[in-house]
C-alpha cells in the first residue's frame, strides 16, 4: 500500500538530489550551447575537413547511448591518464552529448534563413562576423528556442543516468532511500513527480521566453 508519509522525513535529501540534477543539467546545457554553436558553424563551414569532423562528432554522440558515453568518459579517460571525479565526468559527458544535438538544432535554424538576407547585408557593407552577430544568430536562436527547450528537458531527464557513475543526484538518492527503507514505490514515485515538476517549470520558462522574444 502506498504510504507517502515514509517519504516526508527524507524530503530534504530528495530535494538536495533534485538540486544536483538541475545543476548538472544546466551547466551541461549552457556549455553545450556554446559548443553547439561551434559545431554548427563548423558543419556549415566551406572547409571540407572541418565540416566532416563536426558531422562525424554529431553522428557519434547522436548515434550512441548516453550511458555508453558516460561510462567511456568515466572509465576510459583514466586509462589515458585523465582522471575525473564523478560529478565532473557527468558534466563532461552530458555536455558532449547535448552539444551534438544543439549543434544540429542550430544548423537547422541556419538552413531556414533566407539566403537573400546575407546578400543584402553584404551589400550594406557588413562583414561575416557582423552578419552572424546581428542578423543570423538572433533569428536562429528565436526560431529554434522551442527545440532548445525540448533539448533542455531531455537532458534533465537523461541526467538520471549519471547515477551510474556514482553521482548522488535525484535518482541515486531515491535508489539509496528505497533500498534502506524497503519502500521503492513511494520513493521512485516521489522522484518521478520531482522530475515532472522540474521539466514542467523549464517548459513554462521556455514558453515565456519565446513570447518575450517574439514581442521584443
Amino acid at each position: 500500500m502506498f504510504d507517502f508519509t515514509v517519504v516526508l522525513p527524507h524530503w530534504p535529501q530528495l530535494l538536495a538530489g533534485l538540486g544536483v540534477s538541475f545543476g548538472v543539467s544546466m551547466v551541461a546545457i549552457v556549455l553545450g550551447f556554446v559548443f553547439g554553436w561551434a559545431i554548427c558553424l563548423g558543419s556549415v563551414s566551406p572547409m571540407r575537413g572541418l565540416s566532416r569532423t563536426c558531422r562525424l562528432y554529431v553522428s557519434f554522440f547522436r548515434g550512441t547511448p548516453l550511458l555508453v558515453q558516460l561510462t567511456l568518459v568515466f572509465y576510459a579517460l583514466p586509462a589515458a591518464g585523465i582522471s575525473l571525479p564523478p560529478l565532473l565526468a557527468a558534466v563532461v559527458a552530458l555536455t558532449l552529448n547535448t552539444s551534438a544535438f544543439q549543434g544540429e538544432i542550430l544548423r537547422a535554424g541556419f538552413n531556414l534563413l533566407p539566403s537573400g538576407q546575407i546578400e543584402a547585408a553584404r551589400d550594406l557593407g557588413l562583414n561575416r562576423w557582423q552578419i552572424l552577430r546581428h542578423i543570423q544568430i538572433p533569428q536562429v536562436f528565436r526560431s529554434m528556442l522551442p527545440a532548445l527547450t525540448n533539448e533542455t528537458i531531455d537532458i534533465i531527464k537523461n541526467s538520471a543516468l549519471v547515477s551510474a557513475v556514482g553521482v548522488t543526484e535525484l535518482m541515486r538518492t531515491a535508489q539509496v532511500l528505497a533500498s534502506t527503507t524497503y519502500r521503492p514505490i513511494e520513493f521512485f514515485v516521489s522522484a518521478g513527480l520531482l522530475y515532472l515538476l522540474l521539466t514542467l517549470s523549464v517548459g513554462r520558462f521556455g514558453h515565456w521566453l519565446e513570447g518575450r522574444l517574439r514581442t521584443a
Side-chain angles (χ1 to χ4, degrees):
M1 185 181 211
F2 186 88
D3 184 8
F4 187 72
T5 59
V6 301
V7 178
L8 294 179
H10 305 283
W11 201 244
Q13 294 169 264
L14 290 172
L15 291 178
L18 180 65
V20 173
S21 295
F22 180 70
V24 168
S25 301
M26 290 302 101
V27 172
I29 281 293
V30 172
L31 294 177
F33 183 72
V34 175
F35 289 123
W37 272 113
I39 293 167
C40 167
L41 297 177
S43 298
V44 300
S45 171
M47 300 172 60
R48 187 170 300 178
L50 177 60
S51 176
R52 287 179 177 176
T53 300
C54 290
R55 294 187 182 187
L56 181 62
Y57 175 93
V58 169
S59 297
F60 175 81
F61 283 100
R62 292 183 69 199
T64 57
L66 177 57
L67 185 57
V68 172
Q69 298 163 20
L70 277 165
T71 53
L72 283 175
V73 170
F74 188 68
Y75 294 108
L77 286 183
I82 304 173
S83 183
L84 299 178
L87 188 61
L88 182 56
V91 170
V92 169
L94 288 175
T95 298
L96 294 174
N97 178 273
T98 189
S99 64
F101 284 90
Q102 292 192 64
E104 280 296 279
I105 291 171
L106 296 171
R107 188 173 70 87
F110 266 94
N111 291 336
L112 293 175
L113 295 178
S115 59
Q117 286 186 348
I118 299 177
E119 296 175 1
R122 286 173 179 167
D123 291 340
L124 292 173
L126 299 180
N127 58 36
R128 176 61 176 162
W129 167 245
Q130 290 172 324
I131 294 172
L132 275 172
R133 180 182 176 185
H134 298 292
I135 298 176
Q136 292 179 307
I137 289 179
Q139 290 187 81
V140 169
F141 179 74
R142 189 181 297 113
S143 62
M144 293 293 106
L145 184 58
L148 292 171
T149 301
N150 288 337
E151 173 61 15
T152 302
I153 291 173
D154 285 341
I155 284 296
I156 291 173
K157 293 187 294 184
N158 289 335
S159 69
L161 294 173
V162 306
S163 61
V165 295
V167 178
T168 308
E169 41 67 71
L170 178 57
M171 181 54 66
R172 187 168 181 83
T173 301
Q175 290 171 339
V176 171
L177 292 174
S179 64
T180 55
T181 60
Y182 302 102
R183 303 303 295 256
I185 296 177
E186 286 85 348
F187 284 101
F188 287 126
V189 168
S190 298
L193 291 175
L194 287 173
Y195 277 117
L196 179 62
L197 177 64
L198 183 55
T199 55
L200 287 176
S201 299
V202 169
R204 292 290 296 176
F205 176 76
H207 183 72
W208 171 83
L209 184 59
E210 183 183 355
R212 288 295 299 271
L213 290 176
R214 188 181 297 116
T215 57

